[in-house]
Every structure is written in structure tokens, then in C-alpha cells.
């Protein structure tokens, strides 16, 4: 994935190839991930895995701008999505003011907003004012406190109908793609088929237009909890602990530094 994706190439990938999206929060990891991903998401999940908070709700614009700049520095050839934090898009005016900050203070390519039909007016206001928007429907992590937990969606006929309405409203409002999170697989498939823009899944089964994972989950670095949808592609936490233990042992035994590490 050497060529940087654009809004158009992302839209045109629907039905052609599954999109690969991974989160990153800093330049170091962004650089490591960029060759294998179509889009890098600076998710507000950074508030949990990077800042150690229990959920995403206390993430701020300052945090998102700082981390988005770091990611853009590390992955200069990547399409970068910046998550809008909780409480920063409660009305059209705030949404535009805060999304404009993202575009003016970082080189991010778009912002991401959680919500469906209820947020369509805000998505439309942003897109008609020059801000590219990636939607986010289904399980909304920013609603964890109001819903009393992370609740899988699409379990009833009503929820399915609502998700299809949400997807269509977000598309009509001008979003160029959307994330669908924590939705029964067969329902997510129907949602993806109901719109003409890519629907990128996380915990939404294999038959959508792409997948997104949080990098610290997929690398086995985040140990607080592991949702069912996460596949750990390596046991990063054990590897880091083993490496740090070797360093610590060698320092205490005066085995490090050796001659080759010495001036
Ligand atoms: O914040 C985040 O990392 C996200 C993903 C879970 C899609 O929104």
C-alpha cells in the first residue's frame, strides 16, 4: 500500500477490495504500520490504551491534535483519520469549530464522528463546509456510560432497521465511509449492502468492506480486557516484558554494556 489513499480511492474500493484500517497514536508505530494499512485511525481509544483511562470519554481536542500530528509525522504517506472526542460535536457550531481545528492544526485527511441518523445534520454541516467525514455507527464507545456498558447491536429486527437507517443517513449527509462496530455479522453485511460507501467493520464479521483494529489490541500490548472480536497477532506484552527482564538481568550482572556498546 505504497500509494496514499484518497477520498475517491477509498470510495472506489467498495466491492473491489477490503480496506485495512489500523489505529496508531504516535509516529513510531504509525511508521511501522503504514505500509500495510490503507488508513490510519487516530482513535480516541488512545485515552484508554495510551493514557490509561477507563473509557474514551475524557479524551480532549488537545490530545487528539497532539497525537494526530505525531501520527502524520511518522506516516507521511498515509490517509489519516482523526477521531472527534466526546462532547466536541454536540451541535453544528461546535462540530465545525472543533473539526476546523483538526484541519488547521494537523495534516489529517478527515475526522470521524460517532452516531447515525441523530448526527446526520452535523455530518452534513461539516461535509458542506469542506471537512471530510468518516461515520461510526453501531456500538458507540462514547455512549458506554449512558448505555451502561458496551452493548452489541443488531440483535432485533428494530435494531437492524435502525442501523440501516443510520448508515443511509450518514451516507446521504456526505460521509465518504463509515465504521460499523459491535454489530451481529449478518446485520452488518446487510448494512454494508444498503449503502454505496465503504463500511469498515470492527466486531462486525467478515462480510463488510474492510476491517479496523486497535493496534495495541492486535499486537497483544493492551491487557486490561480483550473483546471477542480482537485477534492478537502477537503476544506483545510478553515479548516486551521478556526483553525488559533480559536488560534488567544483564545490567545487574554487569553483562551489559559489552565492548561493542562501549566508546
Ligand atoms: O477509537 C477508536 O480506536 C475507534 C475504533 C474502535 C474504531 O473508534
Amino acid at each position: 500500500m505504497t500509494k496514499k489513499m484518497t477520498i475517491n480511492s477509498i470510495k472506489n474500493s467498495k466491492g473491489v477490495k477490503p480496506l485495512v484500517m489500523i489505529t496508531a497514536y504516535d509516529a513510531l508505530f504509525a511508521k511501522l504500520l503504514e505500509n500495510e494499512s490503507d488508513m490510519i485511525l487516530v482513535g480516541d481509544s488512545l485515552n484508554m490504551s495510551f493514557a490509561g483511562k477507563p473509557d474514551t470519554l475524557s479524551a480532549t481536542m488537545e490530545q487528539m491534535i497532539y497525537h494526530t500530528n505525531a501520527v502524520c509525522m511518522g506516516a507521511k504517506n498515509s490517509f489519516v483519520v482523526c477521531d472527534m472526542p466526546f462532547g466536541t460535536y454536540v451541535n453544528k457550531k461546535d462540530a465545525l469549530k472543533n473539526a476546523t481545528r483538526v484541519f488547521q492544526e494537523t495534516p489529517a485527511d478527515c475526522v470521524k464522528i460517532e452516531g447515525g441518523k441523530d448526527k446526520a445534520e452535523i455530518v452534513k454541516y461539516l461535509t458542506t463546509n469542506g471537512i471530510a467525514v468518516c461515520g461510526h455507527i453501531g456500538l458507540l464507545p462514547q455512549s458506554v456510560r449512558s448505555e451502561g456498558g458496551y452493548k452489541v447491536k443488531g440483535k432485533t429486527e428494530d435494531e437492524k432497521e435502525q442501523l440501516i437507517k443510520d448508515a443511509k443517513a450518514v451516507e446521504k449527509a456526505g460521509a465518504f465511509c463509515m465504521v460499523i462496530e459491535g454489530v451481529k455479522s449478518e446485520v452488518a453485511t446487510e448494512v454494508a449492502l444498503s449503502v454505496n460507501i465503504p463500511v469498515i467493520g470492527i466486531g462486525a464479521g467478515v462480510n463488510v468492506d474492510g476491517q479496523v483494529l486497535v493496534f495495541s489490541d492486535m499486537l497483544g500490548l493492551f491487557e486490561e480486557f480483550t473483546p471477542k472480536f480482537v485477534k492478537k497477532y502477537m503476544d506483545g506484552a510478553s515479548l516486551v516484558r521478556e526483553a525488559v527482564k533480559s536488560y534488567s538481568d544483564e545490567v545487574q550482572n554487569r553483562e551489559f554494556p559489552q565492548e561493542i556498546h562501549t566508546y
Side-chain angles (χ1 to χ4, degrees), residues 131-142:
I131 310 280
V133 177
C134 168
H136 184 151
I137 64 168
L139 184 160
L140 307 178
Q142 291 178 7

Side-chain angles (χ1 to χ4, degrees), residues 19-51 56 64 67-68 70-72 74-75 78-83 112 114 134 136 141 179 181 200-202 211-222 229-231 233:
L19 289 163
V20 180
M21 187 193 257
I22 314 179
T23 71
Y25 315 134
D26 60 38
L28 184 70
F29 272 96
K31 196 168 187 171
L32 290 171
L33 306 175
E34 90 160 329
N35 282 344
E36 302 304 332
S37 55
D38 295 306
M39 305 161 87
I40 296 186
L41 168 64
V42 187
D44 59 356
S45 52
L46 63 82
N47 203 46
M48 299 168 76
S49 54
F50 190 87
T56 61
M64 297 314 299
H67 287 280
T68 300
V71 165
C72 292
S78 282
F79 187 98
V80 174
V81 183
C82 171
D83 236 349
K112 179 166 79 61
E114 290 187 12
C134 168
H136 184 151
V179 166
E181 177 165 1
I200 301 170
I202 175 162
Q211 298 292 329
V212 52
L213 278 180
V214 171
F215 87 95
S216 42
D217 286 340
M218 63 169 290
L219 298 182
L221 293 165
F222 185 70
F229 59 78
V230 168
K231 177 170 177 183
Y233 285 84

Side-chain angles (χ1 to χ4, degrees), residues 112-133:
K112 179 166 79 61
I113 280 194
E114 290 187 12
K117 202 161 179 275
D118 56 326
K119 289 286 181 296
E121 225 187 292
I122 286 170
V123 173
K124 185 162 184 202
Y125 196 60
L126 294 183
T127 56
T128 52
N129 280 287
I131 310 280
V133 177

